[in-house]
Every structure is written in C-alpha cells, then in structure tokens.
C-alpha cells in the first residue's frame, strides 16, 4: 500500500484486513460487494474530475475505499451511510482526512437540502455539495440519482457506479428498448458525459451482475422558444413521460388514458393536448424525444 495507490483499501487483502479488524468479515463477506481494484477507483476520480474546490456527496461509503481517494482530491466529502456498523470503521479508515469529512448516518432517500445545508455549515465546508460520486447500493441506485438531481440544485455532476442495465437506461437513445420514462425524466436534469464498464472480478465478493460507471452532467432544459423551463414545466414533462409509458406497448393516447384514469378532466383534454403539442396520438412513448415531452408537459399545465 504505497503512496502511489489512489486508495489504500482497494485490494482484496486490505479490505479483508479492515473487516476482520472490526469483527465484520463474516457478515460482509456474504453481503456487500467491496471494490478492490485501485485502477477502477482511479478511473472514477478521473472521470468525475474531482478537485480541491469540490464538495463531494457520496452515498454508501462502505469501509471508505472510494471515500479515501475522494478525500485526497476534493476539498470536502459528505457521505450518507445507514449501516450502524460502519461509522466506527470509517472513523478508523478515514482518520488522516477526518477534518474534511462529514458522515450522515441515515437512509439516503431521506436526505433533504436542509440536512445537507446544516451539516455543510457545521463541518466548515465552503458550500453545498456540487458533485455526487458514489459506488451506489444497486437496489436504490436509479432512484437516488434522479432524486438527488431533482432535490439538490447545487449538484453539477453525478459520477456513479451502477448495475450495467441501469446505466443502459440512463443513457438510452430514443426508440430503443431501454428508453423509457426514467430515461426521459433523467434527461430533464442531466445528460451522459462518459462511461466505462466494471467486471464482477473487481469486487469482493464478486457480484452476479456486470457494473458500469457513468457520468451525468447537469443540463438546463429549454422550451421551443429557447427559454429555460420552470420547475413546474419540468415536473409536468416528467408526468407526461410516466403517462406515455404507463402501458408501454400501447399508443400514447391509450397509455395516457390509463394513467389519468383518476383525473377525468385530463382524460377529456388529451386530444387537445396532443394537437397543441403537434404529436400524433397513435405514436408510442419510445418514439418521442425530450422536446416533445416538454411540449406535452406545457399542454398538461393548460388543463
């Protein structure tokens, strides 16, 4: 573990040693998958372009493998971890950089802007987090990325390790099988700006799925008039994405009828909405691009 390593814990032996030292080896050897390839850690740091001016937000730091590397490059790191066994481990593994580290022991899906603001000030961080960099827990990865981009306007970029299929959905092109409501909604906040694959052998123990690291850079969506969308217009476009894919194999007219079954006033207005948006209601959701969903969202707000 020389100074040339990006993270001192990104090897199988170092990971085992940390877990055994804290009496956690048996528990975690059967559960979490720890990244044990230092080259992958280095590539994550490089793709994320982490620098001393950055306040990084990390979800699921584990034993601090990626966190240690982030702390050597960023100005401050705030990590969210709900496992009660891991704070003591992090206090050990991140000791050299502890003054620039903040730990929030809570469910990542419960984090709010005021929570981050309070802790950023208390920790002496210069500002709210501007980059999300994480080896995400796969069960919540898709939800966390979209939720955090929606909740935290300070985030300029997300560079995350996710299951390959999730990365495929994040970066899917219009008209492909992976293109769906999630893809459209994510595109209202960010666009893919880089990606690389990570095979199971880079983890201990190896997972049963392939992984990918994907970088998403924030975008400001605009309407046909070139004006930035309001938060209400973005939310309405996202609603229409959900509606168009509610029954994927049906036309958008039929899918939207199903989605808005509890809102008869919207059901009745659908033909006019499609006409104002200039969209043939016989098309299917996967054929619509972001601009068309934005037009549908604006039409929805007029109902």
């Amino acid at each position: 573990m020389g100074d040339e390593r990006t993270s001192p814990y990104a090897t199988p032996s170092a990971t085992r040693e940390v877990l055994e030292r804290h009496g956690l080896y048996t528990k975690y050897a059967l559960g979490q998958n720890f990244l044990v390839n230092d080259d992958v850690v280095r590539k994550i740091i490089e793709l994320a372009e982490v620098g001393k001016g950055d306040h990084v937000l990390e979800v699921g730091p584990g034993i601090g493998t990626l966190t240690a590397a982030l702390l050597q490059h960023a100005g401050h790191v705030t990590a969210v971890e709900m496992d009660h066994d891991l704070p003591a481990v992090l206090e050990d593994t991140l000791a050299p950089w502890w003054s620039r580290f903040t730990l929030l022991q809570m469910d990542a899906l419960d984090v709010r802007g005021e929570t981050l603001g309070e802790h950023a000030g208390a920790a002496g961080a210069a500002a709210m987090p501007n980059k999300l960099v994480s080896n995400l827990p796969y069960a919540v990865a898709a939800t966390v990325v979209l939720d955090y981009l929606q909740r935290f306007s300070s985030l300029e970029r997300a560079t995350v390790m996710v299951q390959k299929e999730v990365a495929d959905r994040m970066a899917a092109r219009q008209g492909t099988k992976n293109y769906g409501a999630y893809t459209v909604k994510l595109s209202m906040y960010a666009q893919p700006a880089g990606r690389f694959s990570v095979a199971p052998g880079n983890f201990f123990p190896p997972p049963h799925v392939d992984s990918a690291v994907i970088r998403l850079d924030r975008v400001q969506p605009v309407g046909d008039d070139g004006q930035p969308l309001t938060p209400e217009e973005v939310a309405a476009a996202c609603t229409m994405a959900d509606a168009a894919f509610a029954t994927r194999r049906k036309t958008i007219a039929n899918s939207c009828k199903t989605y808005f079954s509890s809102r008869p006033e919207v059901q009745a207005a659908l033909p006019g909405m499609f006409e104002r948006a200039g969209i043939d209601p016989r098309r299917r959701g996967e054929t619509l691009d972001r601009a068309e969903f934005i037009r549908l969202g604006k039409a929805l707000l007029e109902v």
Side-chain angles (χ1 to χ4, degrees):
M1 293 192 294
D3 292 339
E4 73 279 0
R5 300 197 63 82
T6 307
S7 171
Y9 310 112
T11 66
S13 59
T15 297
R16 289 192 190 96
E17 194 276 329
V18 169
L19 292 173
E20 288 173 350
R21 189 163 71 239
H22 290 271
L24 299 173
Y25 183 84
T26 303
K27 175 181 176 182
Y28 289 103
L30 300 174
Q32 294 185 1
N33 306 105
F34 297 97
L35 183 59
V36 291
N37 186 327
D38 197 63
D39 285 340
V40 175
V41 176
R42 176 184 51 78
K43 289 176 70 175
I44 293 172
I45 299 295
E46 290 176 350
L47 182 61
E49 296 182 346
V50 177
K52 292 300 182 185
D54 293 322
H55 180 177
V56 174
L57 180 61
E58 183 187 15
V59 173
I63 64 170
T65 302
L66 176 59
T67 323
L70 289 169
L71 283 163
Q72 293 176 72
H73 290 80
H76 198 93
V77 175
T78 295
V80 184
E81 177 59 67
M82 67 180 298
D83 191 318
H84 292 281
D85 287 326
L86 293 177
V89 180
L90 293 169
E91 194 169 349
D92 172 20
T93 59
L94 305 181
W97 313 281
W98 196 254
S99 64
R100 293 186 291 104
F101 176 70
T102 302
L103 179 63
L104 304 182
Q105 193 169 343
M106 61 192 301
D107 189 324
L109 298 178
D110 291 336
V111 178
R112 295 293 184 270
E114 55 269 25
T115 311
L116 290 179
E118 291 169 4
H119 285 275
M128 288 279 284
N130 66 312
K131 290 180 180 176
L132 173 66
V133 185
S134 297
N135 177 6
L136 288 171
Y138 287 177
V140 297
T143 302
V144 164
V145 171
L146 180 57
D147 278 6
Y148 278 27
L149 286 168
Q150 289 174 329
R151 292 181 198 175
F152 311 131
S153 59
S154 64
L155 288 178
E156 304 162 1
R157 177 179 302 162
T159 306
V160 292
M161 175 107 67
V162 296
Q163 192 170 328
K164 175 186 175 296
E165 288 74 14
V166 172
D168 291 343
R169 287 169 58 203
M170 290 176 168
R173 294 184 179 276
Q174 170 192 351
T176 62
K177 66 182 179 65
N178 288 312
Y179 183 80
Y182 180 85
T183 314
V184 175
K185 291 189 288 187
L186 185 63
S187 76
M188 298 292 170
Y189 299 92
Q191 62 183 5
R195 171 178 175 168
F196 64 89
S197 299
V198 185
N202 292 291
F203 298 89
F204 166 77
H208 299 294
V209 298
D210 288 326
S211 305
V213 174
I214 185 168
R215 170 174 148 181
L216 302 159
D217 288 355
R218 184 177 288 279
V219 296
Q220 171 60 66
V222 298
D224 291 339
D225 57 3
Q227 294 300 308
L229 301 186
T230 66
E232 293 76 19
E233 288 170 334
V234 172
C238 289
T239 296
M240 291 309 301
D242 283 329
F245 288 96
T247 48
R248 188 180 179 98
R249 295 184 180 276
K250 292 187 177 181
T251 63
I252 55 173
N254 288 331
S255 185
C256 287
K257 284 179 185 176
T258 299
Y259 184 84
F260 291 113
S261 60
S262 63
R263 297 178 63 184
E265 76 284 2
V266 177
Q267 277 190 329
L270 284 171
M273 288 169 54
F274 293 130
E275 184 175 354
R276 290 196 301 280
I279 294 171
D280 186 340
R282 294 170 295 181
R283 292 169 63 187
R284 288 186 167 83
E286 62 265 24
T287 70
L288 274 65
D289 62 20
R290 183 175 71 169
E292 290 174 311
F293 280 109
I294 288 172
R295 293 206 296 273
L296 281 173
K298 289 189 173 186
L300 174 63
L301 290 176
E302 296 173 2
V303 175

